[in-house]
Each structure stands twice: as C-alpha cells, then as structure tokens.
Amino acid sequence: MNRTTHDRGRDRDEEGRARSARPRDGLGRPLPYGAEGVPRQPEGVVRDPGATLREAQRLFDAGMPFHAHEVFEDAWKSGPEAERDLWQGLAQLAVGLTHAARGNAAGGAPTGGSSAGGSPGPGPYGIDVGGLVSWARELAARTEGGEGDGGAGPGAVDAAAEAPRLRRDAA
C-alpha cells in the first residue's frame, strides 16, 4: 500500500486503486494509523459454499459481522451468476448486524432476509432462510426501538450475542 501526496493521502494498491490501509476494529470501523486493529479478511478468496458458510458463521460468532460480509462478497464475486442474489442477501444481513452493533438504528435493520434465497424455508446449502428472515425481522424490530447496548452507543447490540445461525445444523 502506498500513500502519496498527489492522491491527497489516500492509500492505493499496486494498480493505483484506492484501498484503505488504516487498521480497523472488529466492526470494520477505521482506527488511527498505527493503532492495533483486527486482521482483515483477505480479498478475492474463492471458497466452496460450505467453506463460505463455515467461515462467515465463525466470524458472526466472533462478533465480526463486517468481516462476514467480506466473505459473502467474495462468494458473490466468484460464484455462479445464478447464486449472486443468495450471497448478496446474506451480505446484507451481515451489514445490517454491523450497523446494529455500531448503534446505527437506521442502518441496523437487516433487510437481506428475503433475498437470501427467495421464500422463507430451507434454502440451498442447508441455509436456514426462514430462520434468517425471522432473525432479521426480530433484530430490526428491536434495533428500531433503540433496545440493546453493545458498548458502541445507545441502541447498539452485541454482535456476537446476536449472531444469526446460517444453517439449522450450525448450533
């Protein structure tokens, strides 16, 4: 990563694309340069659907929904076109939980439940679409009411405690 004055101090990768090299906390918020952050998810990792779901669940359980979003983003970028809505919907759930954990009630309403595979019920790869839709609605109702406090401000929720179960077999 290079920082130059001609690009107004923005971090850039070897191809000149803007990339933030600032460390981030577990919810993806940028920290000051030099601060100790959590390791970033590597970009562009191609995983099979089962590995994607296992890694995303591990990150959800660790209270890192921002990072789970990155895993789903890799899946939608590398997977078949027919599955793009599935992975984007799951990424939206992760973003919703990220915002809820940051105390952002407006952005904290996970909206991707219905797009995470279509109608409620069992989905592809054992994804519990019905359970995710219910989880998203319940979390949205609570965060819109300002309940919870995950230490990030009024109305913030604890991301690890609120982690969704992606598959019924994931206890």
Side-chain angles (χ1 to χ4, degrees):
M1 227 36 92
N2 299 318
R3 292 190 76 201
T4 62
T5 56
H6 77 275
D7 62 14
R8 298 185 190 145
R10 293 188 67 167
D11 302 318
R12 300 210 174 257
D13 65 13
E14 291 74 31
E15 288 82 37
R17 292 180 301 230
R19 301 278 187 212
S20 178
R22 286 174 65 182
R24 294 188 177 261
D25 70 7
L27 294 174
R29 293 175 291 218
L31 299 170
Y33 286 102
E36 188 172 332
V38 300
R40 290 177 173 251
Q41 282 299 121
E43 291 184 41
V45 176
V46 177
R47 299 172 182 89
D48 65 51
T52 294
L53 293 167
R54 284 188 301 277
E55 179 63 4
Q57 189 68 66
R58 182 188 73 76
L59 292 164
F60 275 132
D61 293 344
M64 298 171 64
F66 176 84
H67 295 77
H69 164 270
E70 299 295 319
V71 170
F72 291 134
E73 186 174 287
D74 284 341
W76 95 56
K77 289 180 177 179
S78 67
E81 179 73 30
E83 294 182 2
R84 182 164 286 158
D85 287 346
L86 168 72
W87 301 116
Q88 285 179 332
L90 291 169
Q92 289 173 353
L93 291 175
V95 168
L97 180 54
T98 299
H99 283 289
R102 291 176 177 176
N104 177 2
T111 59
S114 60
S115 61
S119 61
Y125 311 116
I127 296 171
D128 183 11
V129 176
L132 290 172
V133 169
S134 295
W135 169 84
R137 288 180 181 152
E138 194 273 332
L139 181 62
R142 284 190 297 111
T143 57
E144 287 170 2
E147 293 179 28
D149 184 358
V157 300
D158 180 328
E162 297 292 343
R165 305 279 25 111
L166 298 173
R167 297 189 283 192
R168 288 179 192 222
D169 62 354

